[in-house]
Amino acid sequence: MARRLVEAADEETRNHLPTRETLIRRIKAYEAGHNRPGDPYRVLYARAFGIPEADLFDDPQDVSASEHPTRGSLAGKAPDGDDMERRRLLQLAATGFGILGLSGEAVRQLLDLSLAHDFRSAEEWALTCDDHLYALRTRPPAQVAADLIIDLLLVRRQLETSAPAEVAGLQRTMATLSTVHANALTRLGDHGAAVRWWHTARHAADASGDRELRLLVRAEEAGHGLYGQRAPETVLHLVHDAKQIAGGPSVDLMTTQAKALSLLGRHDEALGTLNALLDLAAKGVTGDSLGFWKANQIHFAESWVYAGAGDEARADTARTNVLRLTRDYQYQANVALHEALCMVVRGDVDEGMRQAAAVITPLAPAYRSNHIIETGKILLRAIPRDQQDRPAVGDFHEVLTSEVSKSA
């Protein structure tokens, strides 16, 4: 059909037609009923079949305006799929970008999407996911969120016109990108939007039928919920529900469970969960194969739990292991804050506050993520009530609540 449409076009029209692959996707969208052909495709269909346009379509565009006032004028013509998508993208450019603070380059890319048909192969989407995951670990979260919006819109468009055989793979992409986006929004402290994107990620993962991905999304959602997004009790409930999908022990879920128990002051249970986690890891059980889970996450959980329990020696060893295995700015800052937490738990409040302030103050504002600020708040909550009025505590509280910190 695509070949026949090209053959039916005159030279000028043919020069403006999209690529063969894009034309095929457009035809599939027409056949699926997602939208109706507009100019010049109506004319090309009529020529290809040798049937007058008025007979081929039940809403011919060449009917005079006097017969149908709502037709024959730009204002009255119903938009085809491209027009509707272009209007939707332009509306996002006008309203959504101010909220996210996106750059002019992001606006330019979005407008390009309104004119182009950048459909990608499964391999290209896999590379896109890897790129965004790398960006999440190395770049400011605001930049990550801005860049992700472009590809999230694109994969959604491709899903709307994809063949049935392609849907599962595109749902995997949507789930993965939505998970990264929810992570970035959590780092920005935009918890309401993050929770909605976690929902999108779960829905797409379930639609993909990929059990590993379904578990990963839920584990990520629970883990990031610990940073001021949800109550620790709610996080434990999310972990419990995700275990039903796992069907067995999950190192990713156990790291979150141990940290949530530590936040609740249930240190013996946290240490017990951590020991079970270490036994599981010693048997070679690892996390996902999608690039999210890293071995440093076990050591990070150790650093958190041991620091919360005041076990200085083991917390120091865990921190060293984290720093040896990752360059993620967020992990590096937070294990240093764990060291300060351990000082506070062991009774050295002033030194712990000075250590914590020394971690956060040098960070560029764009890198003062919600995860780092919330870890600082964990320190403040660990200070005994009779020590809350110490000058060092006030100084650190000011660091956390300063306008620079809020800009994250």
Side-chain angles (χ1 to χ4, degrees):
M1 190 68 247
R3 184 171 58 252
R4 290 178 65 181
L5 292 182
V6 172
E7 292 170 352
D10 56 37
E11 183 175 357
E12 181 180 358
T13 302
R14 189 178 298 119
N15 290 337
H16 290 85
L17 290 176
T19 64
R20 179 67 57 84
E21 181 182 7
T22 298
L23 190 53
I24 289 171
R25 292 182 184 278
R26 188 187 296 269
I27 292 168
K28 290 178 178 178
Y30 295 149
E31 293 179 352
H34 294 309
N35 48 57
R36 297 176 63 84
D39 291 332
Y41 301 102
R42 299 167 64 98
V43 174
L44 299 183
Y45 270 111
R47 290 177 185 171
F49 287 116
I51 300 173
E53 185 181 345
D55 294 340
L56 187 59
F57 296 97
D58 59 2
D59 58 342
Q61 292 179 335
D62 59 348
V63 177
S64 68
S66 61
E67 293 178 299
H68 293 279
T70 58
R71 297 174 183 165
S73 67
L74 182 61
K77 187 178 76 172
D80 66 9
D82 288 344
D83 289 335
M84 289 187 288
E85 183 69 6
R86 185 175 294 110
R87 292 179 190 181
R88 179 165 55 181
L89 293 171
L90 289 171
Q91 184 180 31
L92 281 169
T95 61
F97 281 5
I99 297 172
L100 288 174
L102 305 194
S103 66
E105 171 60 18
V107 175
R108 183 196 67 74
Q109 291 183 42
L110 192 64
L111 295 178
D112 281 349
L113 280 178
S114 73
L115 301 172
H117 296 271
D118 179 18
F119 294 116
R120 303 179 191 174
S121 66
E123 293 76 15
E124 289 173 319
W125 276 122
L127 181 60
T128 297
C129 293
D130 289 343
D131 288 343
H132 285 300
L133 190 55
Y134 175 77
L136 184 69
R137 291 165 174 161
T138 57
R139 298 172 193 158
Q143 180 184 342
V144 177
D147 290 339
L148 266 163
I149 283 292
I150 306 301
D151 287 324
L152 282 164
L153 287 169
L154 184 55
V155 72
R156 184 183 67 179
R157 170 191 274 189
Q158 190 167 337
L159 260 169
E160 291 173 349
T161 59
S162 61
E166 301 171 319
V167 169
L170 290 171
Q171 291 286 13
R172 282 173 53 87
T173 299
M174 175 62 80
T176 303
L177 293 181
S178 297
T179 296
V180 177
H181 195 49
N183 186 325
L185 291 171
T186 302
R187 295 184 185 216
L188 290 169
D190 192 351
H191 297 305
V195 168
R196 290 188 288 275
W197 277 102
W198 289 125
H199 174 80
T200 298
R202 274 187 277 112
H203 179 78
D206 290 346
S208 76
D210 186 324
R211 180 168 167 271
E212 181 186 18
L213 184 60
R214 294 178 65 213
L215 178 60
L216 166 71
V217 170
R218 286 162 170 82
E220 289 288 302
E221 179 180 12
H224 292 285
L226 292 171
Y227 294 92
Q229 194 166 97
R230 288 184 159 115
E233 295 89 347
T234 302
V235 171
L236 289 175
H237 179 72
L238 292 175
V239 168
H240 176 269
D241 287 349
K243 284 181 178 179
Q244 310 308 308
I245 297 175
S250 164
V251 292
D252 205 353
L253 292 174
M254 291 176 76
T255 58
T256 297
Q257 180 176 335
K259 290 182 284 188
L261 290 168
S262 178
L263 281 181
L264 290 169
R266 295 158 58 178
H267 298 296
D268 289 342
E269 293 176 75
L271 289 168
T273 302
L274 189 60
N275 289 334
L277 167 65
L278 295 174
D279 289 343
L280 197 62
K283 297 176 182 177
V285 179
T286 59
D288 71 274
S289 61
L290 303 171
F292 283 80
W293 191 88
K294 301 289 185 183
N296 63 68
Q297 290 176 236
I298 292 179
H299 300 305
F300 184 80
E302 287 184 284
S303 174
W304 184 319
V305 172
Y306 291 143
D311 190 333
E312 185 176 16
R314 288 198 287 185
D316 287 347
T317 300
R319 183 175 64 256
T320 299
N321 286 328
V322 172
L323 296 175
R324 174 175 56 84
L325 292 171
T326 183
R327 292 181 295 172
D328 187 317
Y329 71 94
Q330 195 162 256
Y331 275 70
Q332 292 177 338
N334 275 355
V335 292
L337 291 175
H338 292 168
E339 181 181 12
L341 172 63
C342 194
M343 294 175 184
V344 169
V345 171
R346 292 175 64 84
D348 196 346
V349 173
D350 287 349
E351 185 58 30
M353 293 296 97
R354 284 191 287 269
Q355 160 83 6
V359 172
I360 293 177
T361 302
L363 289 173
Y367 287 93
R368 297 187 185 192
S369 74
N370 171 71
H371 289 63
I372 295 171
I373 300 303
E374 282 295 327
T375 303
K377 292 178 181 178
I378 292 172
L379 267 74
L380 290 176
R381 291 195 293 269
I383 297 171
R385 189 179 299 274
D386 61 355
Q387 301 283 314
Q388 291 282 344
D389 59 350
R390 299 183 70 85
V393 176
D395 291 343
F396 180 62
H397 186 271
E398 186 176 345
V399 169
L400 283 184
T401 58
S402 68
E403 290 302 315
V404 177
S405 295
K406 289 180 181 178
S407 69

